[in-house]
Amino acid sequence: MFRRTPTSLLILDPDLTIVEASDAYLAATMTRREEIVGRYIFDAFPDNPDDPEAHGVEAIGASLRRVLHDRAPDVMPVQKYDVPQPGGGFATRYWAPMHAPVLDAHGGLHLIVQRAEDVTAFMVAQTAGGELGRLTEQLRRSIGQAEAEILARRQMQQQQHETMQVLADSLKTAVFGCDELGRPVLCNDAARAIAGDRLVGARAEQWPQRLHLRDPAGNPLTDAGNPLVSALRGQRVCEAEVVMRVPGTPARTFRMYAGPLKGRVDVVALVAMDDVTALRDATRLKECELEISKLLSRAEPTDEVLAEVVELIGSMIGWAATEVWIVDEVGEVLRRASCWAAAGHAAVCGAGEPLPPDDGLPARAWQTNQPQWATDLDGRWAPLSAALAIPVPSGTDVLGVLVCYCDTAEVPDDTRTAILTGIGAQLGGFLEHRRAGSLAAELDRTRDEYAALVGHEVRTPLTSIQAYTELLLDEPDLADDHREMVQVMYRNAGTLSIVVDKLLDVAGMRSGHIAVHRRAMDLASVVRAAADAARERVHRDVTIDVNAPGTVPIRGDADRLRQVADELLNNALIWATEHSTVGVQVTADAHAAVLTVSNTGEPIPADERDRLFDLFFRGGAALHSGLPGSGLGLTLARAVVEQHGGTIGVSDPAEALTLFTVRLPTGRTSDHPG
């Protein structure tokens, strides 16, 4: 059917190789199908070498290249293009050619159709009519060529415009096509959603004002920072960040891309705006969360930390005001602990205190233990429009409420709610830790004061008991059974007196009422003396082995450090197994002296290891075995060591050998501040 069509048609592939030809085309060109199919078009039809003015290859080639590039039809004026004759030489031919693309299903160029109308007879007749006929025909041909080219170009531009519009509408990114003045002549749906009709007729320099565009620092966008102005000057702009601040609405952040568009007269520049508001907000929220974590780890007073936290949340995330309310469990109300407000919103920090549990947004968050949004604040909050209240939890309890206010219309979003819920949890942990630390410090102080009070109150009657029992023991007429009872009284009073002395030492050391007196001393000699005294007290088959250099000079209180060595040795001897050895070792370097005391015996349970140095603590084994003790020895040892600026610890309970280690500074010359 194609071959029999009466029109001269030639089919080319994108490489300009001949694929097929109609019979009419073969007759007009005096060729046979098998001679030209599969050949490059200009190899099959070269220019006439005998005609110095022949330019058919150049003209036809230019038209074909336009079709390859634009994928649109190309109509040519009449061309003189001689064709080879079967017997040799070239025959004169005039053609009215047109080339049209054949596109595949994906819009790619598949084939090119050449329609070559043989107008040789017409052109020869026109030429025979004389010079006037020649000029008339030349004028007619030029006008026809111009009209054909204009029509083809308009059709191509219309197709391109429609293609660009369809492509742009398929994008979520806002796309604007602009003329030479920057006025939008093409907008996709996303662009219309951003700009509405605010850019109608707007030139490039008017965009920042019409769209309320600012740079990231909040300054109005200038021509130098306007991506469209740069694009109209032939420059390409990538990822220029701008902020849209339309009054009464939340700020939006965009990345702008802009560049010139060559080869067009209707659309000369393209601008794309990618909304990255959610990404930027999430980044700022995470940065704020990290900074708050740093703040909460500092040791400043709670009120100062809370003041910095609310200011940081407000300034970094962009709230108009932020505040923290603390639950008053006694009064069953919320009391404001800290408040920050941006310029013009100071009234927030002076209203509504205290809040009962059924009044206001903070109270709802307190009672529900859930984040609460309010997007329609009543007139008394003007110009504030919305608020978010986040509970500050400790487990299932609510310790307080964090409230953030904004002066623009807000839509609740999960990202801000989630991040601020995490910040609320951090605040809850901080408040609970501070409360627990305060209670622990108060408990320690009260316990030390109580221990000192009891010790002082007990010491006086003990002194009297000891004095009177000594007088009774000096009586020569005291009966033997009475003397034995008085001796028991005297011995127990002495034991109790030792316990009281330790109790007073511990309380005094921990409260700072008893100081150590540092001077040059030899730690090795103190340890050896303690070991000698311990050997005299031991009544079992347990050996005490001391490994220490000749001297270990440090600055310390020799009497107090002797107490440490005595307590560690007593503890080791109590728990050492029969026929074992208690090891004592002293070492030192330029910075620290180390005393270790070890014994082999029943291992310390893991759950008791951290409590060994607590006041009055006695392990389960000691309680069940009936071993004597007051739970004060190791507590006193730790107090003395810490007053010297040192540390004391015990080995891992999984080890067979129980090892206590004391580290003391050797180079200090001033008293430890504790």
Side-chain angles (χ1 to χ4, degrees), residues 232-504:
L232 293 176
R233 293 171 179 169
Q235 303 169 3
R236 292 194 175 274
V237 179
C238 293
E239 296 190 354
E241 191 163 296
V242 299
V243 181
M244 181 182 292
R245 298 184 179 274
V246 179
T249 63
R252 299 173 67 184
T253 304
F254 293 89
R255 282 188 187 142
M256 291 187 70
Y257 305 78
L261 190 62
K262 299 185 182 300
R264 297 290 298 269
V265 295
D266 56 338
V267 180
V268 301
L270 286 178
V271 176
M273 296 179 66
D274 190 14
D275 192 337
V276 294
T277 305
L279 178 62
R280 282 289 175 266
D281 287 349
T283 300
R284 282 195 296 269
L285 285 164
K286 294 302 293 181
E287 290 173 352
C288 179
E289 187 176 23
L290 179 60
E291 291 300 318
I292 287 174
S293 296
K294 295 178 182 178
L295 273 179
L296 298 181
S297 65
R298 286 158 45 180
E300 278 83 355
T302 301
D303 291 345
E304 294 181 12
V305 172
L306 291 179
E308 291 188 60
V309 165
V310 296
E311 180 176 358
L312 194 65
I313 293 173
S315 58
M316 285 193 69
I317 303 178
W319 299 103
T322 51
E323 59 185 1
V324 171
W325 298 80
I326 299 298
V327 175
D328 179 353
E329 296 180 353
V330 176
E332 295 185 348
V333 293
L334 287 170
R335 298 188 185 277
R336 185 184 286 111
S338 188
C339 184
W340 172 88
H345 301 291
V348 173
C349 297
E353 186 179 357
L355 284 178
D358 57 351
D359 184 10
L361 181 67
R364 291 205 303 272
W366 170 25
Q367 293 302 315
T368 62
N369 197 7
Q370 294 292 329
Q372 299 289 323
W373 275 93
T375 56
D376 54 352
L377 295 179
D378 57 42
R380 65 191 177 97
W381 290 98
L384 300 176
S385 302
L388 170 61
I390 298 291
V392 176
S394 175
T396 58
D397 296 330
V398 176
L399 303 181
V401 178
L402 168 67
V403 188
C404 305
Y405 298 92
C406 49
D407 54 6
T408 57
E410 290 286 335
V411 176
D413 64 88
D414 294 338
T415 301
R416 278 186 296 177
T417 304
I419 296 294
L420 285 168
T421 298
I423 291 175
Q426 288 190 56
L427 280 174
F430 166 78
L431 293 175
E432 183 64 30
H433 178 72
R434 286 293 176 93
R435 185 168 68 174
S438 176
L439 289 173
E442 179 65 19
L443 180 60
D444 280 344
R445 185 184 64 81
T446 303
R447 184 167 56 187
D448 291 339
E449 290 179 354
Y450 176 75
L453 176 63
V454 171
H456 283 294
E457 292 298 323
V458 172
R459 173 177 278 176
T460 299
L462 275 178
T463 302
S464 299
I465 292 172
Q466 286 180 303
Y468 287 133
T469 51
E470 284 184 15
L471 290 176
L472 288 174
L473 289 174
D474 289 339
E475 286 291 331
D477 298 332
L478 188 64
D480 291 341
D481 54 345
H482 290 173
R483 183 177 297 278
E484 184 177 346
M485 288 187 287
V486 172
Q487 286 175 340
V488 171
M489 291 173 57
Y490 183 76
R491 186 170 58 252
N492 288 337
T495 302
L496 186 56
S497 180
I498 293 172
V499 171
V500 169
D501 288 341
K502 285 185 180 181
L503 182 62
L504 291 173

Side-chain angles (χ1 to χ4, degrees), residues 24-46:
Y25 186 94
L26 296 174
T29 58
M30 297 182 293
T31 57
R32 291 186 298 174
R33 185 173 284 106
E34 59 271 18
E35 292 176 347
I36 64 173
V37 170
R39 297 181 64 188
Y40 181 58
I41 184 174
F42 298 122
D43 289 340
F45 299 104

Side-chain angles (χ1 to χ4, degrees), residues 41-61 79-84 89-91 93 95:
I41 184 174
F42 298 122
D43 289 340
F45 299 104
D47 275 335
N48 184 356
D50 299 326
D51 184 359
E53 296 182 1
H55 61 279
V57 170
E58 178 184 354
I60 296 295
Q79 300 289 321
K80 182 178 181 296
Y81 198 155
D82 298 342
V83 296
F90 283 75
R93 289 289 186 273
W95 310 91

